[in-house]
Amino acid sequence: MSMSHLTQTDVTVGVQATQAAYTQALDAGRVDEVLATFRDDATFEIPQFEVSAQGHAALRDYYTASTAELNLRHVLANTMVSKPAADTVESSSDVLVLMNGESGWALKMVGKYRDALRLVDGEWLFERRTLSFAM
């Protein structure tokens, strides 16, 4: 799919589809599906916790270790998507992280994702995903 044929709505819907695929796979512990939302050389980072993983091998290690046996739900809201430049776009989303514990579901963290994505074979893939938390 060529960028010249995409409207801002097409871009926004495509980015949100990638974000939803990531979140659904992450919450279900499906690491291969999480990785499918990233370019091979992509970076995920949480600077506050000194987390940085670049490339699929490092991403696999991080997500395998960090999602093991956690019953979480990531809820994205207020997503803003920039106008595309060539085949790249940036987005920003608020995230609520809920955890299911002995007392049921509870809010665990509030944060923000800042993403850079690139259009690859008709799909938006993360080049960089940065997560920060309101402490």
Side-chain angles (χ1 to χ4, degrees):
M1 181 175 293
S2 167
M3 281 296 299
S4 63
H5 294 97
L6 295 177
T7 66
Q8 184 65 32
T9 300
D10 294 331
V11 172
T12 298
V13 168
V15 167
Q16 289 175 331
T18 298
Q19 292 170 330
Y22 168 91
T23 302
Q24 293 285 324
L26 179 66
D27 290 343
R30 297 187 307 261
V31 174
D32 287 337
E33 291 176 38
V34 170
L35 295 177
T37 65
F38 285 91
R39 288 175 40 100
D40 291 341
D41 58 349
T43 300
F44 173 77
E45 55 191 3
I46 309 173
Q48 290 160 298
F49 299 138
E50 299 180 2
V51 170
S52 183
Q54 183 173 14
H56 273 200
L59 291 166
R60 177 180 300 285
D61 290 346
Y62 170 75
Y63 285 111
T64 298
S66 67
T67 61
E69 300 182 32
L70 292 180
N71 196 355
L72 300 176
R73 292 292 175 267
H74 293 73
V75 180
L76 297 184
N78 304 323
T79 298
M80 297 293 297
V81 178
S82 70
K83 291 187 178 180
D87 59 353
T88 62
V89 71
E90 293 187 356
S91 70
S92 174
S93 303
D94 294 327
V95 60
L96 304 175
V97 181
L98 307 172
M99 181 177 244
N100 192 7
E102 291 181 19
S103 302
W105 288 100
L107 181 63
K108 184 75 173 165
M109 291 186 241
V110 175
K112 184 171 288 293
Y113 280 115
R114 296 197 186 278
D115 300 319
L117 299 98
R118 182 175 297 272
L119 188 63
V120 178
D121 298 327
E123 290 187 69
W124 290 99
L125 299 179
F126 295 113
E127 284 189 310
R128 185 188 71 251
R129 179 149 244 223
T130 302
L131 177 58
S132 60
F133 291 107
M135 301 302 234

